[in-house]
Amino acid sequence: MAKSPQQIAQKLASQLQAGQFGAAAKLAKTATKQFPKESHFANVAATALINMDRTREALPFFAKALQLAPGHEEYQNNLIHAYIVAKQHEKANELIERFLPTRKDASKLLHLKAFSAQLQAKHEDTIVAATKGLEQDGPLQTTFLEMRGMAYDHQNDFGRALEDFDQLLEIDPDNCRALQLKANLLLDNYQTENAIALLENALDRHPKDCGLLTAMASAHFSQGEVESAHTHLDEAMKINPNSSETLILLAKSLKGDVLQKYMPKAQEALKAHPKGSSGWCNIQFALGHMYFASRNYQAAGRHYEKANGGLSKLEIHRQEAEDTKFEKILAATPAGPCEWTEPRDGQPKTILVVGQPRSGTTLTEMVLSSHPDVASCGELMNGAVAAKQFIDADLEFDPKLFESEYTGNLPEQVLHHPAFVDKMPSNYRHIGMFLHGLPGVRIIHIERDPRDVALSMWKERFKADGLRFTNDLVHIAQQANLYRRYMRHWEKEFPGQFLTIRYDDLVSDLEATSKKMAEFAGLDWTEAMMSPERNKASVRTASVVQVREGVHKKSLGGWRRMEEALRPFNKALDRDLWPELEW
């Protein structure tokens, strides 16, 4: 006897609740044909397909459900969400704008708008949508505060990000996600003591929260407290063995037989994350690290390829924008050379460490900031902010305006030292502006074999928007070529006005190289600069683990271990720009 629509609907509800998505999709598709005017079945078919990570197949079913019930708000939301997940953001936003005037409560549509912008790294659009959402009186207030705070964080607006996370915690003091976000914000801004105090308090109340334990481990790593970090990671793994953030930290910091025991756990955790998702990519990186550490480079390459392949679809890089920026920066920068100057009275000396990401800039910073007169400031965005107005707004370069923008928002630790290090690698783009606009600046450029740099970048999961190119070996090569064009231009315009150090020399003869850097920076060399691994300065870059190992030469020429995997990079590297390389 044929079942009624009500009986089929009850069966579908049971299947969805039990996680039987394949069976639900099959039954719902059949019911859609049997009862073509019942919008519910089309919606259930699409929902089941979405849960099976078959978004594109789900789209026509969501569209059919909405066609049958055009005023149904849940169906409207479902179709928009599916378009966003399918990366069809333009269609999603067209529907949002169409439905907004019809809603008494626009919270859900504004959330979808903010979500779409967030996935595209359109941080200003995320802020606008979330701010409008906060004007609605609905249940999504904490969600909007979280999204807006994260967007402010991406824009390096520490004050506004902290304000949103604090407001979120006022509404919901036990929101572990918000506590983790605030702690990471504090860590990224070198307020390590405040971050650890926050996490200790949070873990007293929520001792079994995996995210808080992983954040505490990250805090301990930044301070070089590896044993304490591993204790927290082990506890996090007991609570949630599928945590991709925990697994990737373990994989980067453990070695040998201890690491091998986590390989089956990582393989099992992979099944808990949809293919191509951020968590799935993290675990692919973790497996790559594990195989690399066990010297199975072929297997490591396969996992790194999967990880980066997934990320390149989630995080789009546009190389043409970088090429345009190159032309704009050169046009906005006055010709060199320029006069040597001293810092203004009362101002600390700025020491910039620049180069490609993963070229040794963190190690160099740790060597320099081992000197008692030098503060470590990590990677400051001040340079990019100071330069932006002359690049994007087409203002004529004004040295005093550049200086005021750069020095106007320096970290507090700068005030207590005669000098500080800003090791933002990408400041190599603005060398000319720094030399013209910042009195007393000393710039140390770290140069490393681009093939070793490429391997090191390809093995890492970077979260910064400006490092999306690292998910594709061809893009890494294009960026390497562009970097070399920048440096050739600055070397021609400003000969002898910045110091280039070879990474090979830094790790092969640290004493001679550190003395050379100290002399150039106007520092009296100290023996402490020979032991950067003992430096207690906080590290929040991808080198957080390696820099505590001490100076070594193990990575020199390491690209040859994975030469086959790096073939797309080597093919795209411009040999005319890199004539010194031996192949």
Side-chain angles (χ1 to χ4, degrees):
M1 183 174 125
K3 292 183 179 180
S4 69
Q6 293 77 14
Q7 291 173 314
I8 295 173
Q10 289 175 355
K11 177 69 173 176
L12 286 169
S14 299
Q15 289 175 329
L16 289 176
Q17 190 171 6
Q20 298 170 357
F21 301 119
K26 184 176 180 180
L27 177 58
K29 285 180 181 180
T30 301
T32 299
K33 294 177 182 177
Q34 190 176 356
F35 303 100
K37 294 185 179 180
E38 291 284 348
S39 61
H40 174 70
F41 295 133
N43 185 65
V44 172
T47 301
L49 290 166
I50 283 281
N51 278 283
M52 295 165 66
D53 199 27
R54 290 158 61 180
T55 305
R56 291 190 180 278
E57 193 177 340
L59 277 168
F61 286 98
F62 277 137
K64 181 176 178 61
L66 186 59
Q67 183 181 13
L68 292 168
H72 199 298
E73 291 187 3
E74 181 187 342
Y75 296 170
Q76 293 173 358
N77 297 341
N78 288 345
L79 179 58
I80 292 166
H81 184 268
Y83 275 133
I84 292 170
V85 173
K87 301 183 181 64
Q88 297 185 35
H89 296 283
E90 191 173 331
K91 287 186 177 180
N93 279 283
E94 284 176 4
L95 289 178
I96 290 171
E97 295 304 320
R98 184 200 305 174
F99 297 138
L100 268 173
T102 70
R103 298 283 180 99
K104 290 182 179 179
D105 180 2
S107 297
K108 186 58 184 176
L109 289 177
L110 290 168
H111 174 250
L112 289 167
K113 193 172 186 68
F115 176 54
S116 172
Q118 190 178 54
L119 289 182
Q120 297 177 84
K122 294 182 175 179
H123 305 306
E124 194 58 44
D125 290 348
T126 304
I127 290 166
V128 170
T131 301
K132 288 181 179 177
L134 287 165
E135 295 168 1
Q136 307 285 312
D137 186 18
L140 293 173
Q141 296 295 294
T142 56
T143 302
F144 286 127
L145 284 168
E146 178 182 318
M147 296 178 86
R148 192 173 71 174
M150 291 173 66
Y152 281 135
D153 186 14
H154 276 288
Q155 290 186 330
N156 296 285
D157 192 334
F158 171 76
R160 285 181 173 153
L162 185 61
E163 187 178 319
D164 275 352
F165 295 151
D166 281 341
Q167 190 177 340
L168 198 166
L169 287 167
E170 283 180 21
I171 298 170
D172 184 3
D174 288 323
N175 187 317
C176 291
R177 169 68 174 165
L179 288 164
Q180 185 182 353
L181 287 169
K182 181 178 177 179
N184 284 328
L185 177 70
L186 292 171
L187 287 169
D188 287 341
N189 286 274
Y190 294 87
Q191 296 190 21
T192 310
E193 290 183 7
N194 291 340
I196 290 176
L198 173 71
L199 288 167
E200 285 175 345
N201 182 275
L203 284 168
D204 282 343
R205 290 179 286 141
H206 309 283
K208 298 298 183 182
D209 186 86
C210 179
L212 292 174
L213 286 164
T214 303
M216 181 62 93
S218 183
H220 283 302
F221 275 132
S222 74
Q223 296 297 93
E225 299 163 354
V226 176
E227 191 173 331
S228 296
H230 285 151
T231 299
H232 284 90
L233 289 177
D234 286 339
E235 188 63 28
M237 280 295 292
K238 292 175 188 174
I239 295 164
N240 181 8
N242 296 327
S243 169
S244 66
E245 292 182 353
T246 308
L247 278 164
I248 200 169
L249 270 179
L250 280 167
K252 288 172 64 175
S253 60
L254 292 173
K255 293 183 174 22
D257 295 338
V258 181
L259 182 58
Q260 295 307 305
K261 76 175 185 179
Y262 286 101
M263 195 175 288
K265 296 181 180 181
Q267 294 282 9
E268 190 62 28
L270 199 60
K271 301 173 186 177
H273 296 267
K275 184 177 180 181
S277 67
S278 180
W280 182 87
C281 294
N282 275 346
I283 296 175
Q284 292 288 2
F285 274 117
L287 285 164
H289 297 332
M290 292 173 185
Y291 279 112
F292 191 89
S294 62
R295 299 183 182 179
N296 186 340
Y297 301 120
Q298 190 172 11
R302 289 197 296 270
H303 285 288
Y304 288 136
E305 187 173 357
K306 289 177 182 178
N308 284 294
L311 283 182
S312 66
K313 294 175 182 176
L314 293 173
E315 303 171 352
I316 306 299
H317 168 72
R318 305 194 187 283
Q319 184 60 36
E320 60 274 13
E322 294 297 320
D323 295 332
T324 301
K325 185 184 292 184
F326 171 79
E327 300 296 340
K328 284 187 172 183
I329 289 174
L330 265 56
T333 305
C338 58
E339 294 183 13
W340 284 104
T341 57
E342 291 300 321
R344 298 188 191 279
D345 291 342
Q347 284 279 7
K349 180 182 294 181
T350 305
I351 305 171
L352 299 183
V353 177
V354 304
Q356 290 197 86
R358 308 293 291 162
S359 63
T361 53
T362 298
L363 174 59
T364 305
E365 179 200 24
M366 296 300 277
V367 170
L368 290 164
S369 63
S370 295
H371 194 290
D373 289 345
V374 181
S376 167
C377 290
E379 299 179 352
L380 301 178
M381 288 298 297
N382 299 43
V385 171
K388 183 178 176 64
Q389 58 200 321
F390 307 112
I391 301 165
D392 295 341
D394 294 326
L395 291 177
E396 185 176 350
F397 185 76
D398 181 340
K400 290 184 179 179
L401 182 56
F402 181 90
E403 180 186 3
S404 66
E405 285 287 340
Y406 181 82
T407 60
N409 189 30
L410 290 172
E412 185 179 348
Q413 64 262 38
V414 168
L415 305 176
H416 307 297
H417 292 79
F420 69 93
V421 182
D422 172 358
K423 62 134 298 202
M424 175 58 77
S426 60
N427 277 336
Y428 70 77
R429 298 169 176 168
H430 309 305
I431 283 177
M433 291 189 186
F434 272 106
L435 288 171
H436 277 293
L438 200 59
V441 68
R442 294 294 181 264
I443 302 174
I444 298 175
H445 164 229
I446 307 301
E447 191 170 59
R448 185 181 181 187
D449 188 318
R451 298 163 297 188
D452 281 340
V453 171
L455 175 59
S456 190
M457 285 195 283
W458 196 54
K459 287 168 55 185
E460 284 295 333
R461 168 71 196 268
F462 296 100
K463 295 183 179 179
D465 295 338
L467 293 174
R468 291 183 168 196
F469 70 91
T470 60
N471 301 330
D472 184 290
L473 286 167
V474 172
H475 289 159
I476 294 175
Q478 290 171 337
Q479 284 293 106
N481 293 334
L482 193 58
Y483 150 80
R484 178 51 72 95
R485 289 172 64 197
Y486 273 110
M487 294 314 304
R488 283 192 170 182
H489 179 80
W490 303 136
E491 286 163 359
K492 180 180 177 182
E493 289 287 313
F494 303 93
Q497 297 199 305
F498 58 91
L499 176 67
T500 294
I501 294 290
R502 290 283 303 165
Y503 177 78
D504 306 43
D505 297 333
L506 181 65
V507 298
S508 299
D509 191 347
L510 179 58
E511 182 173 356
T513 307
S514 62
K515 286 180 176 177
K516 187 176 182 180
M517 292 192 299
E519 181 183 5
F520 178 77
L523 303 170
D524 293 326
W525 183 83
T526 69
E527 197 166 334
M529 297 171 74
M530 291 287 291
S531 303
E533 71 279 5
R534 297 179 187 171
N535 190 334
K536 296 301 181 183
S538 183
V539 177
R540 288 291 286 168
T541 68
S543 305
V544 63
V545 176
Q546 297 95 315
V547 80
R548 307 296 183 186
E549 296 174 346
V551 179
H552 58 75
K553 299 184 285 184
K554 290 185 288 187
S555 64
L556 294 181
W559 69 274
R560 292 193 182 278
R561 301 169 188 159
M562 300 187 70
E563 188 170 0
E564 181 63 29
L566 289 174
R567 183 175 290 180
F569 170 84
N570 290 332
K571 185 177 180 181
L573 202 65
D574 188 335
R575 305 294 176 91
D576 291 336
L577 288 170
W578 303 91
E580 74 276 19
L581 297 182
E582 296 181 3
W583 300 85

